[in-house]
Structure formats: C-alpha cells, structure tokens
Amino acid sequence: MKHLIDPMDLTKQETDEIISLAQDIIAHRERYQGSMSHRKLATLFYEPSTRTRLSFTSAMMELGGNVLGFSDAKNASVSKGETVQDTVRVVGCFAEVIAMRHYIEGAQLYASEVSRVPIINAGDGSHSHPTQTLTDLLTIKRELGHIDGITIGFCGDLKFGRTVHSLIKALSRYENINVILIAPDELKLPGYIKHDVCELTGIPFREVSIMEEVMPELDVLYMTRVQKERFLDEDEFDRVKDSFVLDAARMALAKEKMAVLHPLPRVNEILTEVDDDPRAAYFRQVENGKFVREALIVKLHEWKDDPAHGMPETDEPIYNPEYRCANPKCICNNEHAPYKFRRTPAGKIRCWYCDSKIK
Ligand code: CP
C-alpha cells in the first residue's frame, strides 16, 4: 500500500505521473468527474488549515466522492486521549483514504504503521508537507514550462518551513537545480536538509542574507511566512518577523519570467502591491493544489493493491535504549511511539519519525 508521508515516498516517476495527471485533469475535468463516486476521504486536521483541507475536500467532491472528518481535534475523541494510531484504526473503517495534518512531527508516519488505508501527510509540524510539494512542482511546471534547470530562492523561515524542506527534497531529483537560501541566522535551513539532502545529492546551494543581491538570478522566488506558532521564545520571533518583505521595488530587480510562489497564508512578507504583477503566482498555486490533490487521490487508489507502487525500502530501524530523540515536538516524545532511529548515508543517527538528532 502506498502512503504519502514524505516526498521521497514517491519515486521521481510517480511524482511526474501525478503532475502529468493533474495537467490532464485541468485540461479535461469532465473525464474525471465521478471517478471516485461512492468513495470516501477522511480529513483529520489537528492543526488549522484553509488551503490544504479545503482543497482536499474540493478535490474529492470534483471526483464525485465524499468527505468526512474533523477540522478541530477538540471536537473529536482525541480530546479524551485517543492516540493517532487508534484514531486511524477507527477512521480506516469509515474511509478509503485519510489526509491528516498534525502539529506533532512524525505523527502521520507513526499512524501509517497501523493504518489499513493510505495516509496522506497534510503537514506535520515543521517537518514535511508533501502535498504542498506536489502543488509547488505543478505550479513551477505551469508557470515556467519546466522544472529542470531552475534557480530557486527560498526566502524567510527556512527553519520551521515544512514546505521548504519537502520541496528541496523533491527538487534534488531534478536536473541542474540551483538553490539559494535567503534567511536570517535564526531561521536557517535545518542541518538534516542541508547535509543529508543538498550535500549528499550534490544539489548546489548557497546561503545569503540580502535578498536584492540574488533577485536577478532567480527563476523562482519561494517566499515563506515567519511562523509565530513554532517559536518557543516570543522575543526571538519579534526580532526576525520582518526580515524579508517582497515589494514592487524588489520585483523590479527580477527576471521578466520569474515566478513568485508562497504556500500561504502570508502575513506581511509579500506586499499586496505585488499581487497584480503577472509573476505573482501564489493564488494560481492555490488552485493547482486542488488539481494535484485530485490526481494524488486517483493515483493512490490506482496503486493501492499494486506491489509495483509500494513504499520505498528502508534499512532496519535502530533501537538503542540510550538514544532519545532531541525534538520535544516529535511523536516519540508525545505518544507511546518507540524511540527508533536510522543511520543516514552520511553516518549520522537521526530519529525515524522526525529526522532530529539524538540526545
Ligand atoms: N499551504 C498550506 O498548507 O496552507 P494551509 O495551512 O491553509 O493549509
């Protein structure tokens, strides 16, 4: 069975198949209406969402299917102490696929270990957001006509920005990608992406602190919000919250064909004066999210019982009673998930669920 927990759960070919199918759905929407009739998608959202949850809902409705679930875990038996594993065991009796968002990192991976239906990670804490990645890839393809060969600047909160982490992973499998990281020191990309993804795959990257310097080089500018809800220290948030603001003057430095992406919501990092610039692709990106999620639902259904489309093979997990995950927001420090670890190709030990270091 195929779950989508991390962008790398899809092969490059599967990723491209989903993007191609999304493009076909856009061109021939009527062909897919009814293709999921009598099927049900459950959306289990333990953390707020507008785009992801509603685009999943809209996608399933366009396909003729039905949607059930919760948008606030306080109204579910989670508030009585039900674990994510028990919750997906139960909801798997009512729906053929589950899209889950959780503020705890690794929650969906842990849930997938017992689920009898495919689990789609709709965002886990600061860790991963693979369906936003599919949205972003489709948007880049539609805006520029290609994904290979782009120079992409990621700007803002690269530390907590799960969409950034997932997109960099996915881009590492495309040709001639060049990454520029634009962030203050406090919000730099985590080591596991920089070292385990960029350095190991050889994707060239450089870190800068002045946006204007790199604007003329970019094919894609990927803006992000500084995520107040992830900070443990409010003073630190106040220090970095206005680090980078995209305005018309900065847009004037960019290529004529650059695309500005943002997973949204935005706060003040893109001024509304940019919205009418033809290069501002972030609202088109939102709509792409619905089409790509339609394609994902169709493909996961098609692949469900096909052994050629299972989960990627992994090494055996490492269990060592002396190891603990250093991340207080990891599932293994919040529910009774086992402390389990993996050795990266660079020889580091990282948490199985959230990629954090051991303590
Ligand atoms: N892009 C995104 O994940 O938006 P929501 O938080 O509104 O779902």
Side-chain angles (χ1 to χ4, degrees):
M1 183 166 50
K2 191 79 164 172
H3 304 285
L4 177 57
I5 308 299
D6 182 276
M8 302 312 236
D9 291 339
L10 299 170
T11 63
K12 163 89 166 27
Q13 192 182 334
E14 288 166 343
T15 304
D16 288 339
E17 268 183 53
I18 291 168
I19 292 165
S20 295
L21 178 59
Q23 289 177 295
D24 200 57
I25 290 171
I26 292 165
H28 307 286
R29 289 168 73 164
E30 69 294 343
R31 279 189 199 161
Y32 298 90
Q33 285 162 2
S35 59
M36 286 292 131
S37 69
H38 305 298
R39 301 200 181 279
K40 293 171 286 305
L41 163 79
T43 56
L44 310 184
F45 277 61
Y46 295 73
E47 190 185 59
S49 165
T50 297
R51 277 144 292 274
T52 310
R53 189 175 66 82
L54 295 181
S55 64
F56 265 117
T57 303
S58 178
M60 194 59 172
M61 289 162 99
E62 290 252 339
L63 297 169
N66 291 300
V67 183
L68 63 159
F70 54 78
S71 57
D72 183 347
K74 284 204 289 291
N75 297 328
S77 287
V78 178
S79 61
K80 302 173 197 162
E82 191 157 54
T83 64
V84 287
Q85 284 203 336
D86 283 359
T87 301
V88 301
R89 278 191 173 105
V90 170
V91 176
C93 303
F94 309 140
E96 285 84 21
V97 57
I98 296 173
M100 181 194 287
R101 169 169 292 189
H102 211 300
Y103 51 89
I104 295 295
E105 289 154 29
Q108 292 87 338
L109 177 55
Y110 185 49
S112 72
E113 290 172 355
V114 298
S115 181
R116 69 182 199 188
V117 301
I119 301 285
I120 301 170
N121 177 1
D124 64 321
S126 308
H127 188 223
S128 283
H129 195 344
T131 66
Q132 181 65 46
T133 297
L134 294 171
T135 304
D136 300 340
L137 293 174
L138 174 62
T139 304
I140 295 169
K141 188 87 186 273
R142 293 190 78 197
E143 294 293 318
L144 302 180
H146 59 94
I147 299 170
D148 291 324
I150 60 165
T151 294
I152 179 166
F154 290 96
C155 182
D157 183 352
L158 312 189
K159 179 180 178 184
F160 297 117
R162 58 192 173 197
T163 67
V164 173
H165 308 159
S166 290
L167 183 54
I168 291 177
K169 277 189 178 179
L171 285 173
S172 71
R173 300 198 289 204
Y174 288 82
E175 300 292 322
N176 299 320
I177 302 294
N178 189 21
V179 169
I180 302 180
L181 305 168
I182 312 159
D185 282 347
E186 296 87 339
L187 297 176
K188 284 192 164 172
L189 195 69
Y192 83 93
I193 300 287
K194 220 182 292 180
H195 305 303
D196 300 1
V197 181
C198 297
E199 286 172 5
L200 275 174
T201 60
I203 183 168
F205 72 95
R206 71 181 204 268
E207 296 184 287
V208 301
S209 53
I210 300 175
M211 192 180 187
E212 287 84 339
E213 269 177 22
V214 295
M215 283 297 280
E217 292 179 52
L218 304 178
D219 301 300
V220 176
L221 173 61
Y222 195 98
M223 294 296 295
T224 60
R225 173 178 66 96
V226 178
Q227 299 181 49
K228 187 174 185 184
E229 66 275 24
R230 311 278 182 222
F231 280 76
L232 299 175
D233 175 353
E234 197 154 332
D235 290 343
E236 189 173 325
F237 169 74
D238 286 336
R239 272 199 303 280
V240 295
K241 66 180 181 195
D242 298 321
S243 295
F244 297 100
V245 176
L246 184 63
D247 57 10
R250 291 184 175 95
M251 286 298 284
L253 303 171
K255 288 181 186 173
E256 238 172 73
K257 207 165 182 301
M258 184 188 70
V260 181
L261 273 64
H262 190 313
L264 303 180
R266 73 168 151 192
V267 184
N268 60 344
E269 61 280 357
I270 302 180
L271 297 191
T272 52
E273 68 187 25
V274 178
D275 294 356
D276 292 331
D277 188 306
R279 296 167 292 183
Y282 31 92
F283 291 115
R284 296 190 288 278
Q285 185 182 0
V286 172
E287 194 173 22
N288 288 333
K290 181 186 72 171
F291 296 122
V292 96
R293 289 181 176 101
E294 279 186 56
L296 175 65
I297 291 166
V298 169
K299 282 290 174 192
L300 287 183
H301 178 66
E302 186 184 313
W303 293 337
K304 191 165 178 267
D305 300 314
D306 183 349
H309 292 282
M311 295 298 279
E313 289 204 358
T314 54
D315 292 337
E316 285 299 307
I318 299 166
Y319 296 94
N320 182 328
E322 290 179 8
Y323 293 170
R324 288 286 179 273
C325 171
N327 176 9
K329 293 184 176 170
C330 177
I331 189 71
C332 63
N333 287 319
N334 287 276
E335 289 194 5
H336 296 294
Y339 287 109
K340 76 185 187 183
F341 300 87
R342 62 186 173 81
R343 190 178 300 278
T344 69
K348 295 205 169 69
I349 307 284
R350 294 205 177 272
C351 175
W352 184 265
Y353 295 105
C354 76
D355 292 302
S356 290
K357 290 184 200 153
I358 52 172
K359 67 171 180 188

